[in-house]
């Protein structure tokens, strides 16, 4: 089994036409997995719905703790692109994650907009999480980078 931790970011933002703002209501990850015809055994867990520019050290610690506490060894973390590198660095430095493959991914366009890169990025991240050796990585646009070399 593989676990996906949802933390927010552009993946899950929606547009409020009246206010002209982006906001969070719920995650789209389950729908994305269905739409992408994912046949993996995947557990999805929402940790938070936060814009990564508003992410604090406490948020990053909560992500690391969740990654360390779950039984799965292959993990995907959805994350906002603005500070994805910062969270990857925190996870890579955490000794509790030794032996796990953690792949962070995000999107430049919200899934709700219909023309999002998020579906492709999620699928790529799921594949990378299964194929890469233990470590922390960032996957975007079909490419993957070890944390610290993004």
């Amino acid at each position: 089994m593989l676990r996906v931790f949802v933390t927010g970011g552009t993946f899950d933002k929606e547009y409020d036409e009246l206010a002209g703002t982006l906001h969070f209501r719920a995650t789209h990850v389950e729908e994305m997995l269905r739409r992408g015809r994912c046949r993996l055994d995947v557990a999805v867990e929402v940790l938070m719905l936060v814009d990564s520019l508003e992410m604090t050290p406490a948020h990053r610690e909560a992500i690391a703790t969740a990654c360390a506490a779950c039984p799965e060894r292959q993990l995907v973390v959805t994350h906002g692109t603005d500070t994805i590198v910062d969270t990857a660095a925190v996870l890579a430095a955490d000794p509790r994650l030794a032996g796990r493959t953690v792949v962070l991914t995000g999107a430049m366009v919200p899934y709700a907009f219909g023309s999002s890169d998020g579906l492709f990025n999620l699928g790529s991240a799921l594949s990378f999480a299964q194929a890469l050796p233990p470590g922390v990585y960032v996957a975007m646009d079909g490419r993957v980078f070890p944390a610290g070399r993004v």
Side-chain angles (χ1 to χ4, degrees):
M1 178 178 281
L2 191 146
R3 183 167 299 260
V4 175
F5 286 115
V6 175
T7 69
T10 300
F11 253 90
D12 287 318
K13 286 192 173 176
E14 296 194 30
Y15 185 65
D16 181 338
E17 292 181 17
L18 294 177
T21 59
L22 292 170
H23 67 281
F24 296 105
R25 184 172 40 167
T27 185
H28 299 291
V29 170
E30 295 274 6
E31 179 184 341
M32 293 168 78
L33 293 170
R34 279 191 303 276
R35 186 170 178 213
R37 300 176 191 230
C38 179
R39 298 294 179 249
L40 297 174
D41 191 7
V42 178
V44 177
E45 183 176 340
V46 178
L47 296 180
M48 60 195 77
L49 291 172
V50 177
D51 185 299
S52 72
L53 290 173
E54 297 173 3
M55 198 168 274
T56 66
H59 289 117
R60 289 187 175 85
E61 175 57 27
I63 295 167
T65 297
C67 289
C70 74
E72 295 83 8
R73 310 303 276 172
Q74 299 168 325
L75 311 170
V76 170
V77 178
T78 66
H79 197 287
T81 57
D82 287 312
T83 67
I84 196 169
V85 171
D86 300 331
T87 300
V90 168
L91 298 180
D94 193 320
R96 298 176 297 171
L97 301 183
R100 296 178 189 266
T101 304
V102 182
V103 180
L104 292 89
T105 193
M108 298 304 293
V109 177
Y111 173 75
F113 283 19
S115 61
S116 175
D117 54 333
L119 191 61
F120 179 77
N121 290 341
L122 179 60
S124 295
L126 292 169
S127 295
F128 287 132
Q130 295 175 82
L132 291 169
V136 177
Y137 305 88
V138 174
M140 293 287 293
D141 303 323
R143 299 187 68 195
V144 65
F145 306 91
R149 294 192 12 217
V150 181

